[in-house]
Amino acid sequence: MLELVDVRAGYGRTEVIHGVSLEVPRDGVAAVMGHNGAGKTTLLRAAVGLIKANSGRVIFDGEDVTSLRPSGRVARGLAYVPQGQQSFGQLTTAENLQVVADGRKRGKELIAEVLDLFPALTGLLDRRAGLLSGGQRQQLAIARALITEPRMLILDEPTEGIQPSVVAEIERTISDLTRRGDLGVLLVEQHIGFALESAQRYYVLESGRVTSSGSGGAGADSDLDTIASDVRAAMAI
């Protein structure tokens, strides 16, 4: 559903991504792994249109969206959850969800659906988002993105700085959503176990280039331990 073809991108005269190509399945997960500074966030920003690709193409659901602004890509079904558990800190959890739901025909229903996915948020609806834990804010950030009814969800380091129990809940939610068959996920992760367990495809990024790729643990007949060993070797860790 989402394909990056020989994409080059960066900031000003500094090119960070050097000819990266990858594919995200229509109803599965593609994971991008790599050390800090490898270019993972820049890659996602180019995919969603927050920075302009210097060359190459971004194709979404068969349409070349390289020239579209972020709003145009979002309108076609892309949703982006940036790194850092971002939310409107002075608004309550309920207000954070309502801001996104306002104007949508199924607004109330969509809020109910995301609360079913993240039941921990139900008891926090009256609490200001700035007072939530990191894991709770991350669940809220993903819930807000899902209210837009995306067909492609782009997640940047969703497990960074959060407790293992919440990591497991986010992983289960991603798996449940992709099993429905109408959502693809592009996942940037440094947590190798989480990334490979969820992914049909993986890519290792180093200095802005793909140095290794293959089938993830969610792919058929995949040996997760062997794959993880190969990925760690590719990352030299």
Side-chain angles (χ1 to χ4, degrees):
M1 175 180 284
L2 178 65
E3 184 178 2
L4 275 61
V5 183
D6 198 24
V7 170
R8 295 177 178 270
Y11 306 94
R13 296 183 179 180
T14 302
E15 186 173 273
V16 178
I17 299 299
H18 312 291
V20 169
S21 296
L22 61 80
E23 294 184 32
V24 186
R26 181 177 299 276
D27 55 354
V29 179
V32 178
M33 293 168 283
H35 295 297
N36 288 332
K40 304 185 301 296
T41 294
T42 301
L43 180 68
L44 296 192
R45 289 172 63 84
V48 79
L50 291 173
I51 61 173
K52 184 177 179 181
N54 297 330
S55 63
R57 294 184 297 155
V58 179
I59 300 170
F60 181 51
D61 203 17
E63 178 185 2
D64 190 332
V65 298
T66 313
S67 62
L68 290 183
R69 294 182 177 183
S71 57
R73 302 187 198 196
V74 169
R76 283 160 175 76
L78 281 176
Y80 176 47
V81 180
Q83 190 176 13
Q85 302 114 32
Q86 296 185 18
S87 62
F88 299 110
Q90 294 303 311
L91 300 182
T92 66
T93 297
E95 289 168 340
N96 267 269
L97 298 174
Q98 191 63 52
V99 163
V100 184
D102 280 345
R104 305 191 72 87
K105 292 181 179 180
R106 299 178 57 242
K108 290 183 179 180
E109 184 180 347
L110 290 167
I111 290 175
E113 288 176 3
V114 298
L115 291 176
D116 284 342
L117 290 171
F118 297 109
L121 296 177
T122 302
L124 303 168
L125 292 175
D126 294 328
R127 186 174 300 181
R128 287 187 180 182
L131 300 178
L132 301 179
S133 70
Q136 292 163 347
R137 287 197 305 274
Q138 188 62 276
Q139 291 177 82
L140 176 57
I142 297 173
R144 291 174 65 229
L146 290 173
I147 286 176
T148 68
E149 298 183 278
R151 292 181 294 136
M152 178 62 57
L153 181 63
I154 300 177
L155 301 173
D156 192 357
E157 302 276 12
T159 70
E160 182 184 36
I162 62 178
Q163 62 196 53
S165 61
V166 179
V167 172
E169 185 171 349
I170 290 173
E171 182 177 3
R172 285 194 299 271
T173 300
I174 290 172
S175 297
D176 289 346
L177 288 168
T178 55
R179 274 198 294 267
R180 296 191 319 197
D182 57 358
L183 180 71
V185 176
L186 176 56
L187 169 70
V188 156
E189 255 303 332
Q190 290 198 58
H191 189 307
I192 292 175
F194 170 79
L196 292 178
E197 186 72 30
S198 305
Q200 279 74 24
R201 292 286 300 172
Y202 74 84
Y203 301 85
V204 176
L205 205 63
E206 182 65 35
S207 299
R209 293 179 171 85
V210 174
T211 58
S212 179
S213 63
S215 298
D221 303 320
S222 296
D223 183 334
L224 187 58
D225 290 337
T226 300
I227 296 169
S229 178
D230 291 344
V231 169
R232 290 188 176 93
M235 294 174 64
I237 59 175

